[in-house]
Amino acid sequence: MNKIIKKIILLQTMMTIGMSQNPLIIPPAMTGNNFDLTLQVCEMEFFPGVLTETMGVSFPILGPTLIMEKGEEVNISFNNQLPDTTTIHWHGMHVPAEFDGGPHTPIPPNTIWNPHFTIKDHASTMWYHPHLMHKTNEHVQMGIAGFVIIRDSLEALLDLPREYGVDDIPLVFQTKTLDDNYQIVTNMDSSGLDSYLFTNGTVDAFLEVPAQIVRFRLLNGASERSFNVGLENHESFYVIGTDGGLLPEPVELDELLISPGERYEILVDLNNRVGETIQIMNYGSTIPNGVYGAETVGGMGGSSIPYYADNDLNGNDFSLLSLHVVSQMDEPILTIPSSLVIVDEWNTDEVDEIRSIQFSSVVMGPNGALNGPFQFNGEPFDINVVNYEIPLNNVEIWELQNQSQIAHPFHIHDIQFNILEINGLAPPEHMRGWKDVVLVPAQNGTAKFITKFEDFSNTEVPYMYHCHILTHEEMGMMGQFTVVGESSVSIDETMKSPKTFTLLSAYPNPFNPSTQVRFNVSSPSQVTTVQIVDISGRLVETLLNKTLSVGEHTLQWYAGNQPSGVYFIRLKFGSLTKTHKIVFMK
Ligand code: C2O
Ligand code: CU
Ligand code: CU
């Protein structure tokens, strides 16, 4: 190439960088055990000379990346300076229900929410985002979301890129609907119009990366859209981690479909590429029909989501981020590791319960639009109904069946699962790790996963499961469960307890055909309810529902013609609930 042409190319590149490209925002990292954060309304200049109203966490858009160590206790405070009530949920993290940040733990304006817990997760990429009923989509769209990077001793032993913002880069892909004044539109009618792409809250972004192995932590933070991530020219890259941790070994791919809520960690080999510009692409043209982001959703006669066909992002290939490769840093990682960690999957021999969830077949509206209802098992979400009471330590298989025309990314709080099947087949290799979202294919698609509900029980605050297409979630494609602990309260402890109500015992246990329940009431002011529920959380019988005198009480439960098995005695006294496991053996 002669010098003049070289110069012209250089000039053109500089012009594109200067004129049309913006440096990628890297959310600042915070470390340690205490995180003080403020939820706030702000403005961003996404487009020259125009201010767009946003929301952010201590920053104008998105929030800092919280780097946490497994085994450490963390203390977070969210000061809500929004004009709106919100919540903050720890997506993917195994935390107590009262700190999970779902719709049951609102943070009113001008108040501080202070969750604190011990990190129990594997080294992974998690995220935090709002989760208030009817406000989740709005608050996420306005910009509230952040990464959590969890580190542990096993990950630390591996030769992986780990320098945050240099060779270890978080990338959140989101699309938004903007009005004529470039303001973010968040109402449900804007579904289908999300034609502006934001990578880390940056439009038309570029990033300088060193010519070595670079790790990207990919998060789909969009409300509806799936991204099919790949490198320019379909060069290959390596998936090393799923939602909840690292894989056993890197999996080489050239396209990676990521649905809302999902995370994947990938390694990209940029050795010897100094000076090149490489695009991280969305290969929209190969997204399967039925997945939001594909050319069509809802096969019948081109029927689809309102405005969907007019949105240029659908079914098209476009750049998500432009990488400018610069020289290597000191002590670069230069090779892809051959193995990673042992993934100790849950064992199907230990299953206690199988639950099935049907995703309602979505009814076509007047213009052939997918109108809903968005429901599980034919029931709209009811915040006052706990759909499942799950015994602590249960190993369960959940079977998901999607009768609708659109693929739904199913997400569940509290736990990580292992996918057993998608459409009856073992999942592809890059999904054989820890997951908390699974995209259930459209048109009678199925998925099956196995999990265990460990550590945390709370009869008052439920965890959620829902479609992570936020518009579907808001329209009722959500349910909730509590994890019900076996009462480990001994008589000595209960005597010390300042509580006004204590469960003492059930005897005999196991029993046939009846057992005697003994409990103690130390304050006369409230109604006591005693119920028997079965292992799937179904109410079998209400034994008592009245105000009792102070002192010890006994009740008899006659199991009669119930089947043998595990039952729970559930005692409620005001807002206190206790449960006790009993076993009926004929
Ligand atoms: Cu990321 Cu219940 O949500
Ligand atoms: Cu979640
Ligand atoms: Cu959905």
Side-chain angles (χ1 to χ4, degrees):
M1 208 187 309
N2 75 44
K3 266 187 186 160
I4 294 174
I5 295 180
K6 243 189 193 168
K7 252 189 194 161
I8 292 172
I9 290 175
L10 195 69
L11 201 69
Q12 281 176 338
T13 325
M14 282 170 63
M15 278 177 62
T16 19
I17 297 166
M19 305 290 291
S20 68
Q21 286 210 311
N22 305 302
L24 180 81
I25 295 171
I26 302 281
M30 286 176 79
T31 56
N33 300 66
N34 297 299
F35 302 91
D36 279 338
L37 304 165
T38 303
L39 307 169
Q40 58 192 25
V41 175
C42 272
E43 285 172 333
M44 286 285 292
E45 193 179 333
F46 294 124
F47 303 94
V50 199
L51 291 178
T52 302
E53 188 175 308
T54 57
M55 291 179 182
V57 186
S58 303
F59 290 93
I61 193 159
L62 302 172
T65 297
L66 312 181
I67 301 183
M68 300 177 176
E69 292 280 339
K70 183 171 183 176
E72 289 286 301
E73 246 186 82
V74 294
N75 213 297
I76 307 109
S77 80
F78 284 103
N79 181 341
N80 183 8
Q81 291 302 315
L82 303 172
D84 224 358
T85 300
T86 192
T87 78
I88 295 286
H89 164 57
W90 305 102
H91 181 127
M93 293 177 70
H94 182 48
V95 301
E98 60 271 33
F99 299 133
D100 184 55
H104 295 274
T105 44
I107 320 173
N110 295 309
T111 63
I112 293 174
W113 185 54
N114 180 217
H116 46 96
F117 42 78
T118 302
I119 304 300
K120 289 183 168 276
D121 304 283
H122 307 285
S124 55
T125 307
M126 307 296 195
W127 65 304
Y128 57 95
H129 65 76
H131 213 306
L132 188 69
M133 260 327 268
H134 309 302
K135 287 286 179 179
T136 303
N137 183 52
E138 177 183 334
H139 292 169
V140 173
Q141 284 279 320
M142 289 300 288
I144 301 186
F147 284 92
V148 178
I149 292 179
I150 295 171
R151 298 199 162 141
D152 70 11
S153 54
L154 292 174
E155 191 258 2
L157 290 175
L158 298 167
D159 272 333
L160 288 173
R162 207 173 278 116
E163 190 146 335
Y164 181 79
V166 178
D167 63 357
D168 182 353
I169 317 244
L171 292 180
V172 52
F173 305 122
Q174 296 175 300
T175 49
K176 299 182 195 292
T177 304
L178 300 182
D179 67 15
D180 294 344
N181 301 316
Y182 296 97
Q183 301 304 309
I184 301 166
V185 182
T186 60
N187 61 42
M188 293 294 182
D189 293 344
S190 66
S191 172
L193 282 167
D194 59 328
S195 57
Y196 288 87
L197 170 76
F198 293 78
T199 299
N200 292 3
T202 317
V203 288
D204 199 12
F206 78 91
L207 175 70
E208 287 189 351
V209 282
Q212 59 198 60
I213 307 292
V214 177
R215 178 185 195 167
F216 293 99
R217 299 170 186 264
L218 311 177
L219 160 64
N220 182 339
S223 290
E224 301 179 282
R225 177 173 305 277
S226 287
F227 296 95
N228 192 23
V229 178
L231 294 170
E232 197 175 348
N233 300 321
H234 275 104
E235 285 181 49
S236 54
F237 56 88
Y238 301 84
V239 180
I240 59 164
T242 49
D243 299 331
L246 294 170
L247 285 166
E249 53 199 41
V251 176
E252 187 176 349
L253 287 182
D254 66 356
E255 284 186 10
L256 172 64
L257 186 66
I258 312 183
S259 65
E262 280 190 295
R263 288 89 64 214
Y264 281 103
E265 292 186 26
I266 63 167
L267 297 181
V268 176
D269 186 349
L270 297 173
N271 279 303
N272 306 316
R273 307 291 293 266
V274 185
E276 290 185 45
T277 295
I278 301 165
Q279 307 300 323
I280 295 185
M281 298 294 295
N282 171 60
Y283 286 112
S285 59
T286 45
I287 295 178
N289 180 23
V291 176
Y292 191 112
E295 189 171 1
T296 53
V297 171
M300 294 144 86
S303 60
S304 195
I305 297 160
Y307 321 115
Y308 190 84
D310 304 329
N311 189 333
D312 278 346
L313 299 188
N314 297 328
N316 283 322
D317 299 346
F318 54 86
S319 171
L320 297 166
L321 175 67
S322 154
L323 299 176
H324 298 174
V325 187
V326 298
S327 358
Q328 269 174 17
M329 56 185 263
D330 291 342
E331 296 177 51
I333 303 289
L334 298 173
T335 53
I336 306 284
S338 54
S339 71
L340 298 164
V341 297
I342 291 167
V343 175
D344 208 359
E345 298 199 4
W346 300 123
N347 191 337
T348 47
D349 295 342
E350 288 165 19
V351 172
D352 299 300
E353 184 76 37
I354 298 175
R355 300 185 201 273
S356 301
I357 298 185
Q358 309 242 331
F359 303 0
S360 312
S361 63
V362 173
V363 174
M364 295 296 168
N367 331 313
L370 293 168
N371 272 20
F374 294 94
Q375 294 175 348
F376 289 140
N377 290 336
E379 290 164 6
F381 174 68
D382 182 343
I383 199 154
N384 297 310
V385 172
V386 172
N387 301 84
Y388 303 120
E389 284 187 20
I390 297 175
L392 183 64
N393 292 321
N394 248 29
V395 176
E396 303 201 348
I397 289 178
W398 285 38
E399 299 175 333
L400 313 169
Q401 296 173 326
N402 181 5
Q403 272 135 19
S404 76
Q405 302 278 321
I406 183 166
H408 298 285
F410 183 88
H411 168 56
I412 176 169
H413 292 203
D414 180 31
I415 54 86
Q416 290 286 326
F417 55 73
N418 308 119
I419 300 176
L420 296 171
E421 286 174 14
I422 296 177
N423 278 350
L425 302 171
E429 247 177 291
H430 69 277
M431 292 184 199
R432 292 186 193 168
W434 298 110
K435 295 281 296 158
D436 55 61
V437 180
V438 58
L439 183 65
V440 188
Q443 307 190 1
N444 300 314
T446 60
K448 222 191 246 194
F449 65 75
I450 182 169
T451 190
K452 185 173 182 181
F453 296 84
E454 293 180 299
D455 300 311
F456 305 120
S457 62
N458 184 327
T459 49
E460 297 304 311
V461 183
Y463 291 106
M464 319 308 288
Y465 55 89
H466 55 90
C467 175
H468 219 288
I469 290 183
L470 300 182
T471 49
H472 297 179
E473 173 192 335
E474 308 261 47
M475 287 187 278
M477 210 167 212
M478 178 150 73
Q480 46 191 355
F481 64 96
T482 49
V483 178
V484 180
E486 298 174 28
S487 171
S488 55
V489 184
S490 71
I491 291 176
D492 279 347
E493 277 175 59
T494 61
M495 292 309 177
K496 278 185 267 163
S497 161
K499 299 278 165 66
T500 48
F501 157 86
T502 47
L503 170 64
L504 297 185
S505 65
Y507 185 83
N509 187 18
F511 67 97
N512 178 22
S514 68
T515 187
Q516 197 168 60
V517 185
R518 288 198 312 147
F519 59 96
N520 193 58
V521 170
S522 53
S523 137
S525 59
Q526 275 169 309
V527 173
T528 302
T529 309
V530 181
Q531 295 175 325
I532 305 292
V533 293
D534 71 10
I535 189 151
S536 58
R538 189 179 59 88
L539 179 65
V540 175
E541 201 176 328
T542 298
L543 301 180
L544 183 91
N545 187 24
K546 64 175 183 190
T547 309
L548 296 177
S549 58
V550 168
E552 192 175 310
H553 297 266
T554 59
L555 276 173
Q556 188 91 1
W557 185 45
Y558 173 69
N561 43 21
Q562 299 293 334
S564 295
V566 172
Y567 292 85
F568 292 88
I569 309 165
R570 179 165 68 191
L571 290 97
K572 290 192 190 172
F573 183 78
S575 63
L576 292 172
T577 306
K578 301 226 166 186
T579 53
H580 191 74
K581 184 180 178 181
I582 49 174
V583 181
F584 174 40
M585 283 173 49
K586 277 190 202 171

